[in-house]
Amino acid sequence: MDKSSDQLREVHVPHHLAGVFSSHFGANQNVRIFRAPGRVNIIGEHTDYNDGFVLPAAIDLYTWAAIAPRSDRLLSIFSENFGESAEIDLDERFPKSRDHWTDYVRGVAIMLQKAGVPLPGASLAIYSSVPLGSGLSSSAALEVSVASALLAVSGHTLPLPEVARICQRAENEFVGARVGIMDQIASCVGASDKAILLDCRSLNYELLPMPAGVTMVICNTMVKHEHSGGEYNDRRAQCEEGVCNLKKYYPQIRALRDVTLAQLEAHRTDLPELIYRRCHHVVSENERVLQTVVAWHKGDWAQIGKLMAESHVSLKRDYEVSSRELDLLVEAAAGRSGLIGARMTGGGFGGCTINLVNNASVAGFTDAVREAYKNALGIDAEIYVTTAGAGVSEVHGNA
Ligand code: GLA
C-alpha cells in the first residue's frame, strides 16, 4: 500500500460511510461520524501494564463510526469490513463475549453504562482502514471511535483519559484481554507529527515533535496475532509474579516500574529464571524509553537506533514475543541506507515492525525490505509509510 493512494481513499471514507449508513438504516437521519486512529509504538513494549513508560504515535489509519440515535434499546451495527450486521440489546441482563468483533462494541457500551452514561439505542455503521490483528491497535481504534459516537448520541462528554480507561476496561473485563492503556490513550490524544511520551501510571503525557526529516515506515509480516487470553495474558501474569517475589526484598514496589536494574540483578538468583528474564525485559525497556527521550531532545538518532535494536533483542530473547517473521523484517531492514532504527511494534507474535527512516531513503528502503521478505518467506509484506496523526475526532464537512 502506498501512502498517496491510501490517503486519497481516507478522504472519501466519510462520504462513503454516510452512504453505507443510509442504505442500511434509512436516509434523512441525523448521522454523525467519528474517527479514531490506530497507533504504532516507537519504543516501550509491554511496559504499559507494568505502570511504565511508552512512546507511541497515532497513525494516519483510522476506524470510522457513523451513528444516529434510535427510539428502541438496540445497537444495530453494520461492519463494512466484515459485510456483517449485528444487534446488541442494551438491556441484555447477562451479556457474554462471543469471540466476535461485536464484543468490542458491546464491551464499550457496557462499560459506558457502568460509568453512569445512559445510552440510547443507536444505529452504527463502521469501517476501518487499520489492518486487523496486525499490532496497530485496530481494537483500540474500534473501541475509541464507538465510545465517542455513543457518548455523542447520549449527549455526554468525558475527558479523553477517562474515555481511554473505559475502552481499556471493555477489553480487560468483557473481551478478556488484559491489555494496558497505551493503545487507547494514543488513539484518544494523538497529535499530528507528534509522538506521545506517556507515563502509564499517572497518564501524564508529553507530545514530542517528530523531526521533519524522519518517516515512520511500518512493515506488516501479514501474520496476525491473537490477543484475547493466551500468551499476552501469560506475560502479564509473569510480571505480576516478578513483583510478588521482589516485594519480599523491596516492600515499597507496586509494579515493575518501581524496580531498578541494580535491584533486579541483586535478586536474580532468587527469581525463577523465566520470571527474571521477563522482569529484565520490562525494567530495561523502561530505561530505554527514558534514554530515547533524552536522545530525542538532543537529536541523537544514532542512539535512538541503537536503543530500538536493543529493544527488539530484549523482546525476542527475554520476553519471547517476537516471531520468525518479525525477526526477518528487522534483519531485512538492518544496515539499509537511511535506516535509523527498526524493531517489532505492539504485542508481538506476528504483526508489524516500526522503522524510522530518513525521508530521502524511504522509497529505496521499502522496495528493498519488501523484496528481502518476499525472497525469504514468499510473502508480500504490506508497508505503510505513515505520519503521526491526530487522535479521535468528529468528522465534519464531508458526510
Ligand atoms: C498490545 C496492548 C498494549 C501493550 C502492547 C505491548 O498492543 O494492547 O496495551 O501492552 O501490546 O506493548
Side-chain angles (χ1 to χ4, degrees):
M1 190 181 305
D2 94 275
K3 184 179 177 178
S4 46
S5 62
D6 190 45
Q7 283 184 334
L8 271 180
R9 273 198 279 130
E10 305 268 334
V11 168
H12 294 297
V13 169
H15 181 71
H16 174 71
L17 195 61
V20 168
F21 187 96
S22 341
S23 66
H24 280 268
F25 302 114
N28 302 323
Q29 299 192 50
N30 180 19
V31 182
R32 296 173 69 181
I33 300 184
F34 293 81
R35 181 185 90 163
R39 65 95 192 91
V40 69
N41 191 15
I42 297 169
I43 198 162
E45 220 65 83
H46 289 275
T47 47
D48 60 350
Y49 52 83
N50 289 296
D51 276 5
F53 299 95
V54 291
L55 187 63
I59 53 177
D60 50 6
L61 296 170
Y62 303 90
T63 298
W64 283 262
I67 193 163
R70 298 167 64 96
S71 51
D72 58 18
R73 298 286 299 144
L74 292 180
L75 295 182
S76 184
I77 320 163
F78 177 74
S79 158
E80 172 79 338
N81 296 77
F82 294 108
E84 248 177 59
S85 299
E87 282 191 347
I88 291 172
D89 179 353
L90 287 172
D91 295 329
E92 188 176 349
R93 293 199 47 211
F94 302 108
K96 283 204 176 63
S97 61
R98 295 153 203 214
D99 206 9
H100 192 252
W101 60 268
T102 48
D103 288 349
Y104 295 95
V105 180
R106 195 185 303 262
V108 165
I110 293 169
M111 296 309 156
L112 277 170
Q113 294 189 105
K114 276 199 181 165
V117 177
L119 294 183
S123 303
L124 279 154
I126 297 170
Y127 168 74
S128 185
S129 65
V130 187
L132 307 181
S134 296
L136 300 178
S137 288
S138 54
S139 320
L142 174 59
E143 291 153 13
V144 171
S145 62
V146 165
S148 308
L150 289 175
L151 278 165
V153 291
S154 76
H156 266 65
T157 51
L158 287 174
L160 286 174
E162 187 53 26
V163 174
R165 281 271 185 233
I166 285 170
C167 292
Q168 182 198 20
R169 229 170 273 146
E171 211 161 332
N172 289 172
E173 295 171 28
F174 188 71
V175 178
R178 298 185 65 209
V179 294
I181 192 72
M182 165 171 71
D183 306 351
Q184 291 79 5
I185 287 278
S187 189
C188 282
V189 310
S192 263
D193 297 320
K194 302 281 192 306
I196 308 157
L197 168 63
L198 173 69
D199 176 338
C200 298
R201 172 169 279 165
S202 65
L203 296 193
N204 289 336
Y205 63 91
E206 186 189 333
L207 296 176
L208 303 185
M210 293 289 305
V214 177
T215 298
M216 299 191 299
V217 178
I218 300 168
C219 300
N220 191 343
T221 59
M222 309 308 283
V223 176
K224 294 199 174 185
H225 70 78
E226 190 54 67
H227 258 181
S228 34
E231 296 265 15
Y232 184 93
N233 287 355
D234 290 349
R235 293 299 180 283
R236 194 160 173 170
Q238 289 157 354
C239 291
E240 285 162 359
E241 191 179 333
V243 171
C244 219
N245 276 301
L246 290 163
K247 254 183 195 285
K248 293 182 208 149
Y249 313 102
Y250 310 108
Q252 74 286 2
I253 67 169
R254 285 161 52 202
L256 288 179
R257 140 74 172 273
D258 303 312
V259 179
T260 64
L261 269 178
Q263 288 174 325
L264 180 64
E265 291 308 324
H267 292 283
R268 178 173 186 156
T269 52
D270 297 317
L271 298 174
E273 195 266 344
L274 180 85
I275 301 299
Y276 162 78
R277 280 194 288 124
R278 302 302 192 239
C279 295
H280 187 264
H281 164 70
V282 173
V283 173
S284 63
E285 183 78 352
N286 259 331
E287 289 208 351
R288 281 187 287 273
V289 177
L290 299 176
Q291 288 167 7
T292 298
V293 174
V294 172
W296 197 287
H297 288 306
K298 286 190 198 153
D300 185 352
W301 294 92
Q303 172 69 357
I304 291 174
K306 189 169 154 272
L307 291 163
M308 288 175 77
E310 285 171 15
S311 167
H312 186 81
V313 170
S314 176
L315 286 156
K316 175 180 169 173
R317 303 226 175 107
D318 281 348
Y319 220 62
E320 294 179 284
V321 293
S322 187
S323 66
R324 175 161 174 251
E325 295 83 4
L326 286 166
D327 295 344
L328 272 169
L329 274 179
V330 167
E331 282 158 26
R336 300 266 173 219
S337 152
L339 178 77
I340 293 166
R343 55 181 285 281
M344 58 157 274
T345 189
F349 310 109
C352 293
T353 61
I354 167 76
N355 304 265
L356 298 182
V357 181
N358 290 319
N359 293 355
S361 304
V362 168
F365 176 84
T366 55
D367 288 349
V369 170
R370 198 181 276 116
E371 193 188 327
Y373 192 65
K374 174 92 180 181
N375 287 342
L377 289 183
I379 300 175
D380 290 306
E382 276 183 9
I383 299 190
Y384 320 105
V385 177
T386 55
T387 51
V392 65
S393 65
E394 184 165 4
V395 182
H396 296 284
N398 286 312

